[in-house]
């Protein structure tokens, strides 16, 4: 890869933006080397400031499910742009978006739009506390729910990548209301609810944690969370900011047939523009201002351009039903990676569901954060660098998940499988 233009941009950026990036995981700190800057994205490709073309397995961390620069999304934004960029009043797009979300995710009876996944989870836990009158929240080590103060406790994604899962600046009093347990540990949940079940407002969980690699639940685990929260009058919040509309049209909850009380959403529903949403049972959502006592707001919430982009992206999912294709593409890449590792004699796990997969260089299945951090992340980092030089962009951290889009179908998935297999052989 050429780095001249990106190097100049990073040098300029570093003078005026902390770390030269507007989100830490983009800084390549754990994988080494300097980040490239993207000038254009098209389909499954990123085009760098230095003119390199990369097959992209980050897909802007989820939104680009139809590939970058999708013509239908583009056309919808261009059309909406004719009428202005923001009104500060209700607009027809918000109604159409809310009706679509309620139609697509049955557990969502009412929904409030916001501007990021962080706002969605922050608002959802405030609402859970306001609705239940309780203060404690349970989250799981390695899960990342955005940079919400009280959830930056043993968080995943960039926090874990940089080795500070418990961020500075979060007062102990905030974190004190957050109980952190291991994912897939039913005994710990049982014991916690036995001791203080009547204080627990909610469990917030990424049903398939995708911010410490990609971790799948033990059989019955999510059903167990549903049962124990119901039993104790606590709420179950599914953070489907990444898995929503991706692992099925209705997200993980559709795949496994579990009905959470609230769902945090984002990414895909903005078509790449800034967006978040949280929704759930009407009796809970009606506690939100202006009807109820729980305050939540946002200048650009329901922004017409973001709504137009998200509506186009959702309508395209409804029309094209890409999920069988994602199962095929995911299995193609998974079998290529496992085959290459077997040939090399390297222990490798490739947890994969549809268009999401991760690599853990580990003998055993990864069930929680400790397993994930116990894997050989240096092998991942070597593979990342090999792949990048060969034209494939994996997420720049072993504690992230790879994403597929419909545009990977065809030569890109085969070319990437070949490059990644060669990369594993070169470790
Ligand atoms: P944002 O505030 O970044 O829009 O969303 C926060 C969030 C909430 N919940 C889940 C399950 C998430 O994965 C995220 C954000 N995802 C990361 C990728 N692992 C964002 C990438 C970044 O921080 O730049």
């Amino acid at each position: 890869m050429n780095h001249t233009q990106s190097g100049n941009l990073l040098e300029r950026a570093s003078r005026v933006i902390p770390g030269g990036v507007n989100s830490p995981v983009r800084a390549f700190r754990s994988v080494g080397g300097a980040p490239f800057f993207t000038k254009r994205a098209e389909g499954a490709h990123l085009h760098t400031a230095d003119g390199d073309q990369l097959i992209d397995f980050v897909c802007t961390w989820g939104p680009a499910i139809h590939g970058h620069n999708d013509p239908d999304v583009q056309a919808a934004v261009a059309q909406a742009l004719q009428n202005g960029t923001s009104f500060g009043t209700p607009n027809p797009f918000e109604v159409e978006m809310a009706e679509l979300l309620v139609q697509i995710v049955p557990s969502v009876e009412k929904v409030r739009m916001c501007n990021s996944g962080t706002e969605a989870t922050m608002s959802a836990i405030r609402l859970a506390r306001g609705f239940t009158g309780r203060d404690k929240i349970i989250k799981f080590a390695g899960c990342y729910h955005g940079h919400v103060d009280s959830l930056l406790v043993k968080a995943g994604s960039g926090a874990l990548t940089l080795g500070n899962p418990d961020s500075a600046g979060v007062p102990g009093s905030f974190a004190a209301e957050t109980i952190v347990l291991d994912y897939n540990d039913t005994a710990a949940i049982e014991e916690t609810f036995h001791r203080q079940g009547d204080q627990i407002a909610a469990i917030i969980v990424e049903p398939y944690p995708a911010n410490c690699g990609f971790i799948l639940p033990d059989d019955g685990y999510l059903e167990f969370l549903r049962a124990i929260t119901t039993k104790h009058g606590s709420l179950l919040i599914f953070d489907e900011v990444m898995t929503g509309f991706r692992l099925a049209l209705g997200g993980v909850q559709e795949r496994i047939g579990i009905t959470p009380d609230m769902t945090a959403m984002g990414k895909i529903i903005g078509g790449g523009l800034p967006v978040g949403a949280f929704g759930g049972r009407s009796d809970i959502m009606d506690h939100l201002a202006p009807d109820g006592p729980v305050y939540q707001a946002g200048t650009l919430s329901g922004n017409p351009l973001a709504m137009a982009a998200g509506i186009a992206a959702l309508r395209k999912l409804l029309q094209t039903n890409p999920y069988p294709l994602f199962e095929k593409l995911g299995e193609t890449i998974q079998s290529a990676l496992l085959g290459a590792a077997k040939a090399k004699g390297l222990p490798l796990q490739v947890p994969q569901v549809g268009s999401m997969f991760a690599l853990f260089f580990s003998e055993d299945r990864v069930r929680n954060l400790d397993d994930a951090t116990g894997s050989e992340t240096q092998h991942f980092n070597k593979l990342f660098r090999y792949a990048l030089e060969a034209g494939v962009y994996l997420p720049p951290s072993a504690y992230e998940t790879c994403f597929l889009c419909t545009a990977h179908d065809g030569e890109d998935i085969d070319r990437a499988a070949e490059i990644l297999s060669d990369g594993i052989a070169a470790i």
Side-chain angles (χ1 to χ4, degrees), residues 132 134 200-201 228-235:
T132 61
R134 302 173 180 181
I200 295 168
I228 199 162
T229 44
T230 302
K231 180 180 170 190
H232 289 269
S234 305
L235 301 183

Side-chain angles (χ1 to χ4, degrees), residues 292-341:
V294 179
Y295 195 70
Q296 187 278 340
T299 304
L300 297 174
S301 297
N303 173 270
L305 300 190
M307 295 299 97
I311 289 164
L314 288 174
R315 292 212 177 284
K316 191 157 187 169
L317 288 172
L318 284 162
Q319 284 149 16
T320 60
N321 181 28
Y323 304 100
L325 170 66
F326 288 144
E327 299 298 336
K328 179 173 78 74
L329 293 175
E331 282 154 19
T332 300
I333 203 84
Q334 180 194 48
S335 58
L337 294 170
L338 291 173

Side-chain angles (χ1 to χ4, degrees), residues 22-26 61 115-119 121 144-147 157-158 206 210-211 239-243 264 267 275 399-401 403:
N22 282 311
S23 198
V25 73
R26 303 177 191 171
W61 304 101
N115 299 284
S116 69
T118 295
E119 282 186 48
T121 59
Y144 178 72
H145 304 289
H147 59 97
S157 186
E206 292 180 69
N211 284 290
D239 180 349
E240 296 222 49
V241 166
M242 281 213 285
T243 56
K267 301 205 190 231
V275 78
Y399 303 127
E400 294 290 353
T401 297
F403 295 94

Side-chain angles (χ1 to χ4, degrees), residues 64-125:
I65 194 164
H66 301 299
H68 290 290
N69 212 5
D70 175 78
D72 296 312
V73 173
Q74 285 290 332
V77 175
Q79 176 64 38
L81 192 55
Q82 304 304 313
N83 300 320
T85 56
S86 178
F87 311 138
T89 71
N91 69 71
F93 289 115
E94 293 169 297
V95 184
E96 188 177 352
M97 169 62 82
E99 288 172 341
L100 265 177
L101 294 175
V102 166
Q103 171 199 332
I104 291 172
V105 189
S107 68
V108 173
E109 297 171 342
K110 284 191 178 176
V111 62
R112 171 64 59 87
M113 302 310 299
C114 53
N115 299 284
S116 69
T118 295
E119 282 186 48
T121 59
M122 173 180 70
S123 308
I125 62 174

Side-chain angles (χ1 to χ4, degrees), residues 327-390:
E327 299 298 336
K328 179 173 78 74
L329 293 175
E331 282 154 19
T332 300
I333 203 84
Q334 180 194 48
S335 58
L337 294 170
L338 291 173
K342 189 169 179 357
K344 173 84 177 174
L346 266 181
L348 176 68
Q349 307 288 323
V350 181
Q352 173 266 333
V353 176
S355 62
M356 294 175 74
F357 67 95
L359 294 91
F360 291 113
F361 287 93
S362 159
E363 287 285 352
D364 307 312
R365 181 169 85 86
V366 171
R367 297 179 57 251
N368 58 36
L369 175 62
D370 286 345
D371 292 351
T373 53
S375 67
E376 283 295 334
T377 52
Q378 283 314 315
H379 288 348
F380 175 85
N381 296 345
K382 284 177 190 161
L383 176 62
F384 172 88
R385 286 194 296 273
Y386 179 99
L388 188 58
E389 284 305 314

